[in-house]
C-alpha cells in the first residue's frame, strides 16, 4: 500500500467491540485479568496499552522498521537509545545536534562513563578521524537544527557498517514522508513526534524505530522499566496527526520553498539556509536522499538587533519554540532552543546571534510572505 494508505489504516483498524472507525482512548491505568495467567494482552498501562500499540504499529510501518516504541518526549526517546551504550563506550554526534541532545550528553550521560564527540557529519573524513577503538555509535541529525546541515546517509551507513557502528538518525525535520533513513542504511531512527508526526502543536512525544530485534528488546525494556512510555491521550493525538502527514508535508514543501525564495531575494537578508535552494552547500545530497525539502529554514539578518527587530514585528508568524506544526513558528536559536549550548560552541557550529529559524506552516503562503515583508521593513 502507499504511504498515505498505511498512515491512515495500519494500526487503526475499526474497534472490534463497537465498530468505531477511530480507536477509542483507553484512559485506564490497569486491566482486569480473567484468571491467573489469562489476560486480554494488557495488564498495566506503563507496560503497554492499545493506543500505544496502535501508534507503534503505524510508525513501524511508515519508517519501514522492525519495531517502534513511543515515549513521553523526543528527549526520552533519544535517552533510551543512548542506554544501548555501556560505560566506557564512545559515540560520535553531528556537531550541530539539537541543543537538548547536547545538554543530555554533555551534562547527564557523561556522568555514567559514556564519551561523546561532536563532529561535522556532513564530512565523513572528519567522522573517520574521530573514530576510536571504543566508538560504538554514530548519531546523525539531518538536516540539523537550526543550521540545516545535511549528512549523506547512504555514505554514513556504509562507514557505520565498515567500522561496526550503530547508525542512529534523527528524522524529526523531514518525517518518514520526505526521508527514509532505514532504506538508506540506518539501524535506528528517532523522532520528536511533538513536531511533524503530530503536526498540530498539541502534545509532546518521541519515537524510536529499530531494525534489529536485539535493539528492539532493549528499548522496550527501557520503556517499561523507566516508565516513559507515551500515555493514551497523547498516542491518540499523534495517531490522528499521522493520518494527514502526507498532505501536510506536501504543503510544507511548497510553502517552505516559496518563503525561502522570497527571503533569498530580500536585500536585508544576509543568508538563507534551506536545502531546497541551489545555494545550499549540500543541495545535491538533499535532492538525492529526500523526496522534498520540508518547511524548516534559517536565515541570517547579520546582528542580534536586526533579528530582534524582525521578531518583534511579525504578526502572523508566532514567536515560539518548537516546530513542525500547521502554524508558522519563528525563533531565535541562540537565545531560545539552543541557549543550552555555550556561546563559543554556538559560533563554531554556525549559530550566530542574527540567525532566525522559521518553521513554515501550512497557512496561505502569500499571507506569510506579506507578514515577513512588513516585519523586514521595520528592521
Ligand atoms: C531535531 C530534534 N530532535 C529532538 C528534539 C527533542 O524533542 P522533544 O522536545 O519532543 O523532547 C527536538 C526538539 O526540538 C528536535 O528539534
Amino acid at each position: 500500500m502507499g504511504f498515505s494508505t498505511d498512515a491512515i489504516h495500519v494500526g487503526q483498524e475499526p474497534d472490534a467491540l463497537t465498530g468505531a472507525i477511530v480507536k477509542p482512548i483507553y484512559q485506564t491505568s490497569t486491566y482486569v485479568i480473567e484468571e491467573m495467567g489469562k489476560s486480554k494482552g494488557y495488564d498495566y498501562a506503563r507496560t503497554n496499552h492499545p493506543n500505544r500499540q496502535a501508534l507503534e504499529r503505524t510508525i513501524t510501518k511508515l519508517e519501514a522498521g522492525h519495531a517502534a516504541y513511543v515515549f513521553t518526549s523526543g528527549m526520552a526517546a533519544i535517552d533510551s537509545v543512548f542506554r544501548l551504550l555501556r560505560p566506557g563506550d564512545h559515540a560520535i554526534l553531528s556537531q550541530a545536534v539539537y541543543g537538548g541532545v547536547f545538554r543530555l550528553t554533555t551534562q547527564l550521560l557523561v556522568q555514567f562513563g559514556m564519551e561523546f564527540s561532536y563532529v561535522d557529519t556532513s564530512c565523513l573524513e572528519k567522522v573517520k578521524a574521530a573514530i576510536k577503538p571504543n566508538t560504538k555509535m554514530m548519531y546523525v541529525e539531518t538536516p540539523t537544527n537550526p543550521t540545516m546541515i545535511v549528512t549523506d546517509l547512504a555514505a554514513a551507513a556504509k562507514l557505520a557498517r565498515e567500522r561496526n557502528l550503530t547508525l542512529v538518525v534523527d528524522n524529526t525535520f523531514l518525517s518518514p514522508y520526505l526521508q527514509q533513513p532505514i532504506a538508506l542504511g540506518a539501524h535506528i531512527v528517532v523522532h520528536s513526534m511533538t513536531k511533524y508526526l503530530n503536526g498540530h502543536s498539541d502534545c509532546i512525544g518521541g519515537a524510536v524505530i529499530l531494525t534489529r530485534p536485539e535493539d528492539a528488546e532493549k528499548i522496550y525494556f527501557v520503556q517499561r522499566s523507566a516508565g516513559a512510555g507515551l500515555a493514551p491521550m497523547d498516542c491518540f493525538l499523534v495517531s490522528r496527526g499521522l493520518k494527514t502527514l502526507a498532505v501536510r508535508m506536501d504543503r510544507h514543501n511548497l510553502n517552505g520553498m516559496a518563503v525561502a525564495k522570497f527571503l533569498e531575494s530580500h536585500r536585508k537578508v544576509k543568508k538563507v539556509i534551506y536545502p531546497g535552494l541551489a545555494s545550499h552547500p549540500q543541495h545535491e545530497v538533499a535532492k538525492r536522499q529526500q523526496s522534498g525539502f520540508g518547511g524548516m529554514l534559517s536565515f541570517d539578518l547579520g546582528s542580534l538587533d536586526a533579528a530582534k527587530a524582525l521578531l518583534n514585528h511579525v504578526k502572523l508568524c508566532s514567536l515560539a519554540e518548537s516546530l513542525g506544526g500547521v502554524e508558522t513558528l519563528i525563533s531565535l536559536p541562540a537565545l531560545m532552543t539552543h541557549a543550552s549550548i555555550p556561546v563559543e560552541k554556538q559560533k563554531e557550529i554556525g549559530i550566530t546571534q542574527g540567525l532566525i529559524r522559521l518553521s513554515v506552516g501550512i497557512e496561505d503562503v502569500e499571507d506569510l510572505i506579506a507578514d515577513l515583508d512588513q516585519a523586514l521593513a521595520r528592521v
Side-chain angles (χ1 to χ4, degrees):
M1 298 282 182
F3 187 93
S4 287
T5 309
D6 286 340
I8 292 166
H9 293 285
V10 174
Q12 295 295 324
E13 296 78 14
D15 179 48
L17 191 64
T18 62
I21 192 87
V22 175
K23 186 173 281 300
I25 303 165
Y26 287 82
Q27 195 64 44
T28 178
S29 57
T30 194
Y31 292 82
V32 176
I33 50 178
E34 285 164 40
E35 57 184 71
M36 290 310 297
K38 198 170 165 203
S39 75
K40 291 190 163 72
Y42 303 97
D43 46 31
Y44 186 56
R46 166 157 49 75
T47 317
N48 202 2
H49 56 76
N51 297 102
R52 192 188 294 163
Q53 208 169 28
L55 175 58
E56 289 174 344
R57 277 185 57 208
T58 321
I59 288 182
T60 302
K61 182 73 182 172
L62 298 184
E63 284 285 4
H66 158 78
Y69 297 96
V70 295
F71 290 84
T72 50
S73 68
M75 290 314 305
I78 292 164
D79 178 61
S80 80
V81 169
F82 285 123
R83 292 182 197 216
L84 296 173
L85 299 175
R86 300 266 68 85
D89 286 349
H90 171 243
I92 295 170
L93 286 76
S94 297
Q95 70 170 359
V97 80
Y98 168 63
V101 176
F102 188 75
R103 180 173 49 208
L104 172 75
T105 50
T106 55
Q107 294 185 42
L108 189 64
L109 296 179
V110 287
Q111 295 177 32
F112 300 93
M114 298 163 194
E115 268 183 71
F116 303 95
S117 302
Y118 308 88
V119 176
D120 176 4
T121 51
S122 72
C123 174
L124 287 181
E125 288 312 311
K126 291 185 187 166
V127 177
K128 277 183 201 163
I131 296 176
K132 305 198 278 187
N134 60 339
T135 308
K136 296 283 164 55
M137 185 181 279
M138 195 192 318
Y139 179 97
V140 171
E141 209 179 287
T142 183
T144 51
N145 178 3
T147 45
M148 305 305 294
I149 297 165
V150 174
T151 293
D152 182 336
L153 288 180
K158 184 167 174 285
L159 177 64
R161 278 180 171 71
E162 282 164 8
R163 307 301 284 269
N164 207 18
L165 311 178
T166 295
L167 176 62
V168 183
V169 176
D170 184 331
N171 204 21
T172 298
F173 265 36
L174 291 171
S175 89
Y177 184 63
L178 299 182
Q179 178 167 269
Q180 291 268 304
I182 289 174
L184 293 165
H187 300 101
I188 299 176
V189 173
V190 295
H191 273 280
S192 167
M193 299 195 298
T194 314
K195 314 298 185 323
Y196 288 103
L197 298 190
N198 170 268
H200 294 75
S201 310
D202 54 12
C203 94
I204 300 279
V208 184
I209 302 94
L210 296 311
T211 56
R212 299 182 293 211
E214 61 274 24
D215 290 340
E217 230 171 84
K218 288 179 190 160
I219 296 296
Y220 180 47
F221 185 76
V222 174
Q223 191 197 48
R224 68 181 200 269
S225 306
L230 196 60
M233 180 69 187
D234 292 330
C235 289
F236 163 82
L237 287 170
V238 180
S239 288
R240 187 174 63 166
L242 278 175
K243 292 175 188 173
T244 56
L245 179 64
V247 288
R248 284 188 285 109
M249 294 316 292
D250 283 338
R251 182 67 171 256
H252 283 296
N253 284 337
L254 293 175
N255 284 6
M257 184 62 92
V259 171
K261 284 186 173 161
F262 161 74
L263 291 170
E264 201 174 40
S265 70
H266 199 287
R267 66 184 173 82
K268 288 190 183 166
V269 177
K270 309 280 179 254
K271 185 163 106 177
V272 181
I273 322 175
Y274 183 64
L277 294 176
S279 57
H280 188 280
Q282 295 96 34
H283 176 59
E284 290 306 319
V285 181
K287 249 185 4 193
R288 198 167 61 233
Q289 73 184 12
Q290 302 174 197
S291 57
F293 302 108
M296 295 304 302
L297 62 88
S298 294
F299 60 103
D300 206 323
L301 291 184
S303 72
L304 183 59
D305 283 347
K308 279 188 177 166
L310 178 103
L311 295 172
N312 290 339
H313 288 102
V314 285
K315 295 188 178 113
L316 181 59
C317 305
S318 302
L319 178 57
E321 303 215 0
S322 204
L323 57 103
V326 293
E327 58 288 285
T328 297
L329 301 181
I330 195 163
S331 65
L332 189 67
L335 302 189
M336 295 169 71
T337 48
H338 290 65
S340 57
I341 299 180
V343 175
E344 277 318 303
K345 181 82 187 159
Q346 284 187 358
K347 274 193 199 149
E348 200 185 305
I349 62 180
I351 302 178
T352 56
Q353 300 263 302
L355 190 75
I356 292 174
R357 188 185 78 181
L358 199 57
S359 168
V360 182
I362 63 171
E363 300 96 335
D364 292 296
V365 76
E366 304 75 31
D367 294 335
L368 294 174
I369 289 174
D371 187 38
L372 289 165
D373 199 28
Q374 65 78 27
L376 277 165
R378 311 288 291 271
V379 170

